[in-house]
Amino acid sequence: MAAPREFRDRRDRLFGRKDDVSALTERLQIKGLTAVAARPLMGKSWLLEELARHIAVDRKPRALVGIAESSGEGADLLLRAVVDLYARWLSDSDFLEQARMTWDQQKPNLLPSVAGAVGRILMKTGEAVAKPIAAVVEEALKGLIAANNTLTTGGVLLPVLQYDQARDLVAAVAAIAERPIVLILDQWEKSPDPEFEAKTLDAFLHHLDEWPNCHIFVALRPDEPAFAIVERLVAGRPGPAQLYQLEPMALEESAEHERLVRFIQKSVSGADGEDGETLLSLIDGYPGVIYQWSNDYQQFHMTSLEDLTKVARDAQQYRFSDLDQLLPTLGGEQLQIAIRLALLPLGGTLSWPHIKTEVLDSLSETLVEDLKLAKVLEEADPPSYGHAKRWEVAQEWLLENRRASARIEASSLIGKLAEPVRDVSPEFMHHSAALRGLLPQCLRLGIDDNPIALCQAAATLFGDYIDVDDALMRGAAQARAAGDSKIAPLLAIGLNNTLNDAKAEDDLERRDALLEELRSLAEAWPEDAAVREPLAMGL
């Protein structure tokens, strides 16, 4: 089965971070949490991936690492890091054999539900099946947690890892592998519910004695509300928790200074022959300048110090002049796919294999390659605008300057993503997450109630009711009037979850209105069990 991607070795182009890697490695001597905070494009993700590579490959004893990056789709970042941890652990045949040999000794120490899920993973991993190892792990863990959510909430929710489940899942790996565990939660500020995600981290910090040798790294921008939440976590447990402010690149050492200058003069168009001190003054310790100078479009267009200076100035102010030139030239099907990818959280890169068919719909996959060749996208498989900041700028430009097209594409994309979702089966979780991530932009675009209702219904699968209003009921009524049976199951689940929330808030008038719409939806499609069952749960 396919193993997770190896941690990339970027030491040849990671500059001024030797002391940072050492300081973060030193934090592994204690159980706890370290929050790495810095402005966009300061190199947080590259630093943490280099840390992961260093402690998992170079350092003795080697650690086992799980890493996940938030894309704003759902509050499940810790779960995805644990999935990655298990996938990396069991992709090593020696670790897998060790796990199978010692499993009977370890399972009595775990929650019965967790022991059952881990046992299923060990049984299925290594079989001659087509699924990648991460998919086997994800299916087992999400199935476990989704079943628990249904029993405890009365609604149908997508899986979010609870404290005791996270503890026992990590403990199982640590006990069998006899290695320290490191979990890395990147772009944490993008979580749609950082308060919820912080609850498990807070419990972790206040009950460290219950955990094996484990350290959690959280990377985030100093954006609110996430940054204030992390500051509160650190203040509540100083020592085991630490806020690490990532500073500009440390280039005081002459060897590192010269290494960066050589790299720029050799690799950046227009820099060959320029004075090293001049180049370093333009960079001013900010890795974002190097990122923009290395952009394929800029490499083709920069020819002089004046060009380098302009791009460096743009980088310091989060401007991407390449997008200003490229996006206005798009039209027809290229514009359609560019908008669809920009609307999705981080371009949908994490979920791409699962949602590709619905996103492309009638369009050819070669259009994605065309956008890569045109330098609009930085990657084609999976498609990506590059760094999260570049994606944000592309999204902003398209929503502002191609608003009518964005409304059309958003409505179409939402309908296609919603059609497969009939429950919380693992194969449809990525569709629901993408719909949840689309909701803020749909509200901003002011599109019709029906697609907004579908995004709101998906949001309830994550226990998120903040942006759920009467558009959910109006959208369900529109679906009934249009006879649109394909999207009825998701709407029914959303209505049931929302009426449970209304009941919990003691808003009985709203609860009854939601129940009446749910009943009408079930009467419209009485033969569809996926619509009838939410009504039965609601009743």
Side-chain angles (χ1 to χ4, degrees):
M1 289 192 290
R5 176 184 60 80
E6 292 184 2
F7 297 120
R8 285 167 287 196
D9 187 346
R10 292 194 176 106
R11 284 175 292 179
D12 64 326
R13 57 186 60 204
L14 188 68
F15 302 97
R17 294 302 183 204
K18 181 179 178 181
D19 291 344
D20 295 308
V21 172
S22 296
L24 295 179
T25 302
E26 189 74 16
R27 289 287 295 163
L28 298 183
Q29 294 185 18
I30 63 170
K31 297 181 196 176
L33 178 145
T34 304
V36 181
R39 63 184 283 205
L41 285 161
M42 186 60 85
K44 300 181 293 296
S45 297
W46 277 34
L47 171 63
L48 287 176
E49 186 164 11
E50 171 54 24
L51 173 69
R53 190 204 62 78
H54 172 65
I55 63 180
V57 178
D58 294 343
R59 184 173 175 266
K60 300 292 188 294
R62 291 189 297 163
L64 287 171
V65 181
I67 187 167
E69 177 183 295
S70 178
S71 53
E73 296 171 317
D76 65 342
L77 194 57
L78 181 59
L79 171 59
R80 289 194 280 117
V82 172
V83 169
D84 189 66
L85 170 70
Y86 267 70
R88 292 182 186 280
W89 172 43
L90 298 176
S91 63
D92 185 313
S93 59
D94 290 337
F95 280 137
L96 177 58
E97 185 61 26
Q98 180 189 21
R100 286 174 171 162
M101 290 176 61
T102 62
W103 175 237
D104 286 339
Q105 301 169 15
Q106 299 298 333
K107 63 183 179 182
N109 302 320
L110 308 175
L111 291 171
S113 57
V114 172
V118 177
R120 286 191 293 274
I121 292 169
L122 295 178
M123 180 179 65
K124 292 183 178 181
T125 302
E127 294 178 356
V129 296
K131 287 185 179 179
I133 187 170
V136 172
V137 175
E138 182 180 44
E139 183 173 338
L141 298 190
K142 288 191 172 182
L144 152 73
I145 303 165
N148 182 62
N149 280 338
T150 301
L151 290 172
T152 56
T153 66
V156 181
L157 303 180
L158 283 162
V160 178
L161 206 58
Q162 303 300 318
Y163 169 79
D164 56 349
Q165 295 168 328
R167 179 200 62 212
D168 277 19
L169 286 167
V170 171
V173 180
I176 296 172
E178 298 181 333
R179 298 288 181 91
I181 305 298
V182 173
L183 299 176
I184 297 176
L185 313 180
D186 197 8
Q187 296 188 168
W188 197 79
E189 80 284 349
K190 289 189 174 294
S191 170
D193 194 351
E195 282 281 7
F196 181 88
E197 298 218 45
K199 290 178 182 177
T200 301
L201 298 180
D202 185 59
F204 164 71
L205 287 170
H206 284 86
H207 299 279
L208 289 170
D209 58 310
E210 298 178 355
W211 286 72
N213 186 359
C214 176
H215 201 95
I216 299 176
F217 290 93
V218 173
L220 74 163
R221 302 178 190 176
D223 295 350
E224 302 302 344
F227 188 67
I229 293 170
V230 165
E231 285 186 311
R232 190 168 70 240
L233 281 174
V234 172
R237 201 72 164 86
Q242 182 184 91
L243 181 61
Y244 189 89
Q245 296 277 6
L246 187 59
E247 301 295 335
M249 294 181 293
L251 301 172
E252 291 79 10
E253 291 185 13
S254 59
E256 192 71 349
H257 175 290
E258 293 169 4
R259 189 170 74 91
L260 175 56
V261 170
R262 286 197 303 271
F263 175 83
I264 296 299
Q265 290 176 334
K266 180 180 178 180
S267 306
V268 174
S269 176
D272 185 27
E274 295 294 345
D275 177 66
E277 292 299 329
T278 300
L279 295 173
L280 290 176
S281 68
L282 292 176
I283 295 171
D284 195 24
Y286 181 48
V289 174
I290 304 173
Y291 173 76
Q292 288 231 38
W293 277 352
S294 302
N295 175 280
D296 286 346
Y297 177 89
Q298 302 295 5
Q299 287 282 64
F300 186 76
H301 288 84
M302 292 186 307
T303 58
S304 65
L305 181 60
E306 182 181 359
D307 295 333
L308 292 167
T309 303
K310 181 180 183 304
V311 174
R313 190 181 302 119
D314 286 343
Q316 294 283 2
Q317 299 177 28
Y318 309 135
R319 291 199 300 261
F320 291 81
S321 57
D322 58 325
L323 293 176
D324 292 336
Q325 301 299 317
L326 294 168
L327 294 178
T329 68
L330 298 179
E333 292 183 340
Q334 280 195 351
L335 178 61
Q336 285 182 272
I337 195 63
I339 291 174
R340 294 178 193 180
L341 295 175
L343 284 167
L344 291 165
L346 291 185
T349 55
L350 296 177
S351 302
W352 182 247
H354 304 275
I355 64 175
K356 177 170 68 174
T357 300
E358 288 76 24
V359 174
L360 292 174
D361 190 18
S362 59
L363 301 181
S364 170
E365 191 172 357
T366 60
L367 289 167
V368 178
E369 296 174 341
D370 292 342
L371 289 179
K372 168 68 166 59
L373 291 172
K375 317 301 185 191
V376 175
L377 298 178
E378 290 193 358
E379 300 293 339
D381 188 21
S384 171
Y385 280 92
H387 190 275
K389 193 65 184 180
R390 187 172 185 269
W391 164 72
E392 291 169 9
V393 171
Q395 182 189 77
E396 184 67 24
W397 192 96
L398 289 165
L399 266 59
E400 282 291 322
N401 297 281
R402 296 291 185 265
R403 190 174 183 83
S405 297
R407 286 165 59 93
I408 293 170
E409 295 305 323
S411 297
S412 174
L413 178 60
I414 290 166
K416 292 299 180 184
L417 287 170
E419 287 181 1
V421 183
R422 298 179 61 81
D423 50 40
V424 290
S425 299
E427 61 265 33
F428 303 134
M429 289 178 179
H430 294 277
H431 295 75
S432 301
L435 288 166
R436 161 64 185 85
L438 284 163
L439 181 54
Q441 303 310 329
C442 292
L443 294 172
R444 174 182 171 184
L445 288 168
I447 60 178
D448 296 337
D449 285 334
N450 188 276
I452 286 179
L454 292 169
C455 291
Q456 289 181 342
T460 71
L461 298 177
F462 297 90
D464 183 0
Y465 303 95
I466 295 175
D467 291 322
V468 179
D469 55 25
D470 288 343
L472 177 59
M473 286 188 285
R474 294 195 299 269
Q478 289 178 9
R480 284 192 291 109
D484 196 344
S485 61
K486 293 181 179 180
I487 61 174
L490 176 57
L491 291 169
I493 294 171
L495 289 167
N496 175 50
N497 287 345
T498 307
L499 74 84
N500 279 324
D501 180 65
K503 180 181 178 180
E505 296 293 325
D506 204 29
D507 188 348
L508 302 186
E509 182 178 351
R510 177 166 169 76
R511 179 204 64 180
D512 292 343
L514 288 158
L515 183 58
E516 185 59 34
E517 182 53 49
L518 181 55
R519 180 181 285 110
S520 298
L521 203 66
E523 289 173 352
W525 291 284
E527 303 302 319
D528 193 337
V531 181
R532 291 197 317 270
E533 288 174 6
L535 173 61
M537 295 174 70
L539 291 171

